[in-house]
């Protein structure tokens, strides 16, 4: 009984999720001379732009009123602090130098008192030569140990010798790879990558087109105002803009799902103008996107597993052929 109740609860949760995903995500797009406006909504909630948060009302901070007698206590406290502070002698010396001299004199007095109390004489620290000086004494060679200077005469090559000098026969310069070999290697790599990706291209293109078709343009209104000072130029511009507009709508309808409500081009004579007013609502259902992704993943696995099976079969065939050739060689021997 409990298991049945749990199953019904799970089915109810799944049903609610499916219903929520079936609601479409809508984007209202408005474009005109004033500017571009975008509003995105899901069900009854505004995703973009979000409403600005209302500033919190500042709490009125009431200042605590102090009695007048309390300020007298603060004045007395300030007078006591001023009296307790030591007087600083005015000297021409700088304060930092005076403090350093004072500290040094205190240290000397403490050392004297310690020697008087213990009664031990101050130990003299033997002077030790630095390691650098010892190394210098060790490294300096005597006149007898000085090695003889070996003078090597370097033959000065002329400019022609530097440019046209002959190399030794034993030394062979490593020949760089030619451009053709590099190009061929890159082409081979690209071909190998293309072979691995080739089975997935038709499937990917198919589901990509389905994904684009899932995007729906509804309540589409496009109104254009074009004009020029000359009537002939205005008429020519009107024809070009109208042809371009309707051809563009046809191309969009081939890629996306477009429901056209109104599309018009107005020709204005004796005035050079170009105005536009575009309004559309873009709708996408999350459930369709999830379904397309799920189907694409299943087909991807099918193609991948079939490719692995083919490779295994080809490997088995090669092994059988090699074994048969080996047996023939043994029989002939």
């Amino acid at each position: 009984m409990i298991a049945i109740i749990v199953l019904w609860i799970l089915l109810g949760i799944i049903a609610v999720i499916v219903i929520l995903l079936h609601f479409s995500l809508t984007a209202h797009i408005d474009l005109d001379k004033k500017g571009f406006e975008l509003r995105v909504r899901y069900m009854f909630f505004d995703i973009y732009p979000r409403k600005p948060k209302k500033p919190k009302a500042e709490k009125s901070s009431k200042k605590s009123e102090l009695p007048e007698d309390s300020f007298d206590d603060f004045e007395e406290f300030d007078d006591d602090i001023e009296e307790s502070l030591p007087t600083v002698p005015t000297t021409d010396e700088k304060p930092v130098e005076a403090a350093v001299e004072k500290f040094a004199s205190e240290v000397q007095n403490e050392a004297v008192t310690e020697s008087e109390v213990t009664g031990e004489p101050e130990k003299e620290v033997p002077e030790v030569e630095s390691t650098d000086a010892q190394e210098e004494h060790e490294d300096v060679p005597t006149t007898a140990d000085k090695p003889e200077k070996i003078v090597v005469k370097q033959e000065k090559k002329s400019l022609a010798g530097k440019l046209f000098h002959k190399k030794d026969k034993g030394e062979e310069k490593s020949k760089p790879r030619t451009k053709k070999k590099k190009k061929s290697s890159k082409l081979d790599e690209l071909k190998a990558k293309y072979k691995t990706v080739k089975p997935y291209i038709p499937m990917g293109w198919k589901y990509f087109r389905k994904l684009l078709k899932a995007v729906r343009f509804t309540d589409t209104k496009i109104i254009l105002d074009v004009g020029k000072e000359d009537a002939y130029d205005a008429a020519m511009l009107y024809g070009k803009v109208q042809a371009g507009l309707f051809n563009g709508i046809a191309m969009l309808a081939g890629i996306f799902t477009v429901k056209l409500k109104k599309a018009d081009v107005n020709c204005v004579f004796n005035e050079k103008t170009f105005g536009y007013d575009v309004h559309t609502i873009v709708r996408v259902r999350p459930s369709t996107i999830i379904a397309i992704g799920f189907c694409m993943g299943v087909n991807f696995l099918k193609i991948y597993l079939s490719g692995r099976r083919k490779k295994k079969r080809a490997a088995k065939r090669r092994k059988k052929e090699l074994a048969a050739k080996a047996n023939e060689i043994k029989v002939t021997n």
Side-chain angles (χ1 to χ4, degrees), residues 50 61 82 93 135 202 204 206 243 251 268 272 294 299:
R50 292 185 178 180
S61 59
E82 288 177 358
E93 294 179 354
E135 288 177 359
K206 177 185 173 182
M251 286 176 68
V268 180
K272 189 177 181 180
F294 180 75
N299 287 321

Side-chain angles (χ1 to χ4, degrees), residues 27-31 215-223 245-246 248-250 252-253 256-264 277-283:
H28 297 263
I29 298 169
D30 292 313
L31 180 65
V215 179
R216 295 170 292 149
F217 289 85
T218 58
D219 297 333
T220 305
K221 295 179 184 178
I222 302 170
I223 297 167
L245 174 64
F246 287 102
I249 290 167
L252 282 173
F256 305 101
T257 303
V258 180
K259 291 182 179 179
L260 191 64
K261 193 172 184 180
K262 188 178 181 181
D264 194 7
D277 187 7
V278 181
H279 171 75
T280 186
I281 299 170
V282 184
R283 298 178 188 274

